[in-house]
Amino acid sequence: LGWLTATSRVALKIALATEVMTWPLSCASQGIFLALVRSWGDAGLDRHLREVQLLYSRRRDLVHQAALRLLSDVAEWSAPTAGMFFWIRAKACGARGVDAVDLIDDLLAAGVAILPGCCFASEHGELSASSPCAAFRVSFTLIDTAAKADLAMERIALVLRRNADSGCERGAVGKALASSASGDVEAKRRQVAKLEASLRLLREQIEKAES
């Protein structure tokens, strides 16, 4: 814990960096895991990893099947072959299309935490952090029943349909991004706060799963 005094641009960069840097496990947790792996041996670790792979592949399949039933008309995706996330792209509507950042508020209100595609943009790539991006990332790791998968996809589909019905108009977060492009520091802070809220919900879900 501590305080930082810096220019707004430096403070924003540090805030975004700490969102990633504060994720690793504590030293105590890492020590417990090391002792556990040593007690298992190579064969025990291999068996555990295969069980984990099977567990998460089943959860991925639950979400994929639910998405096929409920999400196909408003979004596109590919079932992941690795990792713990779906990369979903909302289908374009209207002349401007859809920006996933505009969906954060409505999805959070519906109980779904996402990270919009702009969070993964490279400053030197084809997509920049300020560019509209229709894609967003969602985790499937906590979905352990078909009912939960259906509920999650229903919530996402509902928000995407409402967005399409409104002509893909920018929401509060989208307006904040537009303002930030013109140098509005307060808008940048609001943008970070929205993303932090999404990350906090993800952390809470992960902590519940681990407990």
Side-chain angles (χ1 to χ4, degrees), residues 154-176:
E154 285 172 357
R155 290 175 174 178
I156 293 175
L158 178 62
V159 171
L160 293 183
R161 290 190 185 100
R162 285 178 177 173
N163 184 270
D165 291 342
S166 64
C168 294
E169 295 179 357
R170 287 189 172 222
V173 184
K175 291 177 181 178

Side-chain angles (χ1 to χ4, degrees), residues 121-129:
S122 167
E123 292 182 0
H124 306 290
E126 184 176 335
L127 173 67
S128 69

Side-chain angles (χ1 to χ4, degrees), residues 7 65 74 79-80 87 93 104 107 124 148 175 186 188 191 196 202 208:
T7 64
Q65 293 303 318
V74 288
W87 186 254
C93 54
I104 292 177
L107 284 170
H124 306 290
K148 289 182 180 179
K175 291 177 181 178
E186 288 304 317
K188 290 180 180 178
Q191 175 194 355
E196 286 178 342
L202 280 172
K208 289 179 181 178

Side-chain angles (χ1 to χ4, degrees), residues 4 8-24 119 123 192 195-196 199 203:
L4 171 70
S8 59
R9 293 185 65 183
V10 172
L12 178 61
K13 290 286 187 180
I14 293 176
L16 294 174
T18 54
E19 289 178 359
V20 177
M21 295 170 62
T22 54
W23 275 89
C119 294
E123 292 182 0
V192 172
L195 295 178
E196 286 178 342
L199 286 169
R203 291 190 183 105

Side-chain angles (χ1 to χ4, degrees), residues 22 48 62 108:
T22 54
H48 173 71
L62 287 174
L108 279 177

